[in-house]
Amino acid sequence: MSIKIKTAEEIQKMRVAGQLAANVLEMIAPYVKAGVTTGYLNQLMHDYMINEQNTIPATLNYHGFPASSCISINQVVCHGIPGDKKKLKNGDIVNIDVTVIKDGYHGDTSRMFEIGSVKPFAHRLTRVAHECLWLGIQQVKPEATLYQVALAIQTHAENNHFSVVKEYCGHGIGADFHEAPQVLHYAAPELKDIILKPGMVFTIEPMINLGKADVKLLADNWTVVTKDRKLSAQWEHTLAVTETGYEIFTLRAGEQPVLP
Ligand code: MF3
Ligand code: CO
Ligand code: CO
């Protein structure tokens, strides 16, 4: 229920787990191109986690989820199930979301990939979603509230005539994959009561839609799509509140803030 404050020892373990999660996305990047199946990408990431990292893929069997990553193409908002029949093609936008467990602690991160050359509106959606993540992150510091994080994200999305998904959110993270608090990405009034303190660790992972915000769960009970079947984009980091601001655990090599 209540938000756990992590000890210095826990923070160090989460730093390691976060780095390993980021490394999975770095490893997979060169393979993400037209013609490959998401099942193949999932297999590469699974093998890397198990054999190279000695991490546990947290999504595998999580509430019955059948894969070691979520891969969500175009109108898929989140929780796309990788498959050997799902082939990437020129013009697709795709999110790959990985969560590893190392030494009992979770690191959770996702990013978008553009396959070949994508339409300008698809590129703009992907970029604005990325800016939303970073604008949200930049609000994080002691005594700020999650309302400020959400407001920054929603404002930027809507200024660009995009919409924010309401049904899925970021989350506290630690020894458990999903802990309190729920990190909503739209300015819900109850977020004003969630005051950030050093040692809190959570994800920010806005899902931004090209059209309407509404989503639909497919019959497989996992895949979430936009109701209007227009594109959706998402980026995710795991971060801690520090004495002066934030520390991102899942930064990739050379990654810089992406701001409007
Ligand atoms: N990684 C996702 C998140 O960001 C959760 C995936 S849960 C699964 O919270 F079961 F769909 F894998
Ligand atoms: Co997450
Ligand atoms: Co994730």
Side-chain angles (χ1 to χ4, degrees), residues 161-224:
H161 310 287
F162 298 143
S163 60
V164 178
V165 170
K166 290 194 161 77
E167 288 84 349
Y168 299 87
C169 58
H171 47 93
I173 183 168
D176 292 314
F177 192 166
H178 296 102
E179 304 181 349
Q182 290 199 52
V183 182
L184 302 174
H185 302 109
Y186 63 98
E190 63 264 30
L191 294 176
K192 290 181 178 169
D193 297 331
I194 308 181
I195 303 164
L196 300 180
K197 303 289 177 190
M200 288 182 179
V201 181
F202 54 87
T203 73
I204 300 177
E205 49 181 302
M207 286 142 276
I208 307 299
N209 292 354
L210 185 66
K212 294 220 166 72
D214 307 70
V215 301
K216 185 179 181 288
L217 184 64
L218 295 188
D220 62 17
N221 265 301
W222 280 110
T223 311
V224 179

Side-chain angles (χ1 to χ4, degrees), residues 97-99 108-110 171 177 205 236:
D97 190 341
V98 291
T99 307
D108 185 7
T109 185
S110 83
H171 47 93
F177 192 166
E205 49 181 302
E236 175 177 24

Side-chain angles (χ1 to χ4, degrees), residues 34 74 88-94 114-119 122 231:
N74 293 335
L88 299 180
K89 60 178 193 309
N90 185 54
D92 284 346
I93 60 170
V94 55
E114 298 183 350
I115 308 304
S117 59
V118 310
K119 294 262 172 58
L231 298 177

Side-chain angles (χ1 to χ4, degrees), residues 127-175:
R127 182 172 49 78
V128 169
H130 204 177
E131 292 164 354
C132 283
L133 169 63
W134 278 101
L135 287 167
I137 288 172
Q138 289 198 326
Q139 302 304 313
V140 172
K141 61 178 182 191
E143 306 309 318
T145 70
L146 282 185
Y147 185 83
Q148 292 166 263
V149 173
L151 186 65
I153 291 167
Q154 183 178 8
T155 300
H156 188 56
E158 293 180 357
N159 281 346
N160 284 279
H161 310 287
F162 298 143
S163 60
V164 178
V165 170
K166 290 194 161 77
E167 288 84 349
Y168 299 87
C169 58
H171 47 93
I173 183 168

Side-chain angles (χ1 to χ4, degrees), residues 28 31-45 69 71 73 81-89 94 96:
I28 204 65
Y31 298 96
V32 184
K33 50 188 182 191
V36 302
T37 68
T38 61
Y40 176 67
L41 295 175
N42 178 70
Q43 188 64 51
L44 289 176
M45 292 189 284
S69 60
I71 307 187
I73 306 172
I81 303 173
D84 293 333
K85 288 175 190 151
K86 293 171 188 162
K87 203 177 263 191
L88 299 180
K89 60 178 193 309
V94 55
I96 301 184

